Amino acid sequence: MKKIVIIATSLFLSLSMQAQDRPQPKPGPAPKINIGKPQTFELKNGLKVLVVENDKLPRISYNLTIDNAPYTEGAKKGVADLTSSLIGNGTKTISKDAFNEEIDFLGASINFGGNGAFASGLSKYSTRIMELMADGALNPVFTQEEFDKEKAKLIEGLKAEEKSVPSIAGRVQRVLAYGKSHPSGEYLSEETINNVTLADVSQNYATYFNPQNAYLVIVGDVKFAEVKANVEKLFGTWKKGVAPQVTYSSPKDVQYTQINFVDAPNAVQSEIAAVHITNLKMTDKDYFAALVANQILGGDFNSYLNMNLREAHGWTYGARSGLRGNKYTSNFSATTQVRNAVTDSAVVEILKEIKRIRTEKVSDETLQNVKAGYIGKFVMDIEKPTTVARYALQTKTQGLPSDFYENYIKNINAVTADDVLRVSKKYFLADNLRIVIVSKAGDVLPGLEKLNIPIFYFDKYGNKVEKPEEKKASADVTAKSVLEKYITAVGGQKAVTDVKSLFLTGSTTVPGAPAPLTYINKTDANGKLMIELTMSGMSMMKQVVNGNTGFMAQQGQKMNLEGEMLEDMKGLAHPFPEVNLLKKEGVSLKGIESQDGKDCYAIVNGKTTSYFDIATGLKVADVTATPQGSSAITYKDYRDVKGVKIPYNYIMNVGFDLDIKISEIKVNEGVSDADFQ
């Protein structure tokens, strides 16, 4: 079954960006920034309105933001999510379908959430677009039917992320950095979502969706007087309210740098994040120096972290750091994803680069290049109406000086190497880091323990647990005995031998793809294999092995298989590849490991580790090391087909979970020599 991993790895192989050595052009004079100043007014109910007239394009955008302080939801975490998803599903005056049809007819875009709404479109429809947005935001209809649908979708989304290592890592990072009682540390669960009722949603809307802290930013081809009249007409009836005052404990950093480890037996690579709390504000005098320092450390492609972990060592597709100003408590993080074998080395290099920026002055060339890149992006962004709207809003909500963005370039250019060194010592903490690692304990803990950094263990919800126990197989268990038990579990030696060919047909979906993929797999016992993925009848990829030869065809290009890849495919060219493993030298028993929630024997064959359920003998998963990290596939839903058990469900991790569901399996029929030509 490892054959599916090979085709998926080929299909979803990412193309790496290659840095090119080019002479840096000399910087010219700083461009003069002219950001449209908003005209403002305020309604009696407290809604603040900012209008920026811009007639360069015949377009208009409306951004309604309710700037409430973050709040906790406790046992009903999910009420805000459900409120957000229900706003805009029709109003008291127009049905959901009619509402969406009119938006499509106007060629507009309107989105709603618990913290406001956004709309954009052609300026000739500006009045109607504002009417629809105001109606959807101020007159929502919350029905039990729509509530039940959105609740089911939210729970289904949680289940889909249950085994996602990046999702687990993100949740644990927030829980440990902020604490579960902090708004940024709370997380959704099926239990808390099920605690939410329709009445809770209505109450949440009534409590928090009010104009006291609301801002409406309008940018585009409009006239102030006309817009003002329309806003007063459409939003003047919005009932005035008072958002609750919220309090919660401020999060604290750890007293000393430590590793917070989460065992994820299904992990095909390690998620690493070095995090600590920050209180950087956009009004702080250090703000611009901190932005530049973060850009140097891990903010862009040429940063210290990325040049080290990606370019110098080839361990990752990218390493990044994040630091931003916020009027509420935020955090600094340095993150990457690496293959398990180099997890400890990656931690060492991350800490080295943090120490470097705290102790060594950045070179003049690097500093100038980073500032030039930052300024270039800033200049490009201000051409976008959405950026102008965001800047106008931030000026108000973050309490910025009115000329903050006009002086942006000047303030970036004023940052010196001494400034970078100073703020790095303040905002990149070397002694109070949580190094949160989510990975496979058996693969990475021995290396991490050698770093002499204290290690504490947590489950996937941030609860403290004991160190994962290593389980050992009994002396009488061997790779041969595990494989023989598998053959017995799927039907026995005779039944397996009687299978001369297999023909599998199934389907899967790829995020963003216009149509589902059809999966076809044909094998025979004479060393032949054909795998093909098609979309709407068109071949997307095809791999064939016919004895000692093979090829791969993709997008009209054909390539002969050679060397290691051909040998791997030849090993899979059998209805039950485990039969070939029984005859192969060098196959070994690694031990007992958990996989997909089951205790399994781990059998190593070159770069592939196969996992067999101790209880049933059936194969649970294959994990194959690749230059990019590793590929994994889980086997589920074994069913009897003419005396042998075959999985009807393959879940493959290729950066996301690719769920292949088999619809038909034919034994000893539907396969001919012509399939392998």
Side-chain angles (χ1 to χ4, degrees), residues 44 61 84 107-108 118 196 208 302 309 330 343 350 374 421 429 451 465 474 481 510-511 528 531 544 574 616 620:
K44 293 180 179 179
S61 70
S84 291
F118 175 82
V196 180
Y208 294 101
N302 294 308
L309 274 71
S330 186
T343 301
I350 290 171
Y374 220 109
L421 188 63
L429 305 184
L451 300 181
V465 296
S474 60
S481 69
V510 177
K528 298 175 183 177
I531 305 172
V544 172
H574 192 284
T616 66
V620 173

Side-chain angles (χ1 to χ4, degrees), residues 181-254:
S181 60
H182 189 280
S184 297
E186 283 191 319
Y187 59 85
L188 290 169
S189 71
E190 187 170 352
E191 180 183 5
T192 63
I193 295 170
N194 279 326
N195 287 338
V196 180
T197 66
L198 182 61
D200 293 324
V201 168
S202 297
Q203 183 60 47
N204 180 272
Y205 175 83
T207 302
Y208 294 101
F209 206 98
N210 70 68
Q212 179 193 19
N213 298 321
Y215 297 82
L216 177 60
V217 183
I218 303 170
V219 180
D221 184 18
V222 292
K223 299 300 181 185
F224 177 78
E226 295 175 4
V227 154
K228 186 173 185 294
N230 285 331
V231 170
E232 290 172 340
K233 174 185 174 183
L234 296 172
F235 291 91
T237 57
W238 192 358
K239 187 177 179 181
K240 186 176 183 179
V242 178
Q245 296 294 314
V246 296
T247 58
Y248 39 80
S249 300
S250 297
K252 303 293 183 183
D253 285 319
V254 290

Side-chain angles (χ1 to χ4, degrees), residues 33 53 71 135 161 169 268 323 333 337 354 455 481 496 545 547 579 621:
I33 299 302
E53 296 184 16
Y71 58 91
D135 194 21
E161 294 181 349
V268 298
L323 177 71
S333 65
Q337 303 80 35
I354 292 175
I455 303 177
S481 69
V496 168
V545 172
V579 171

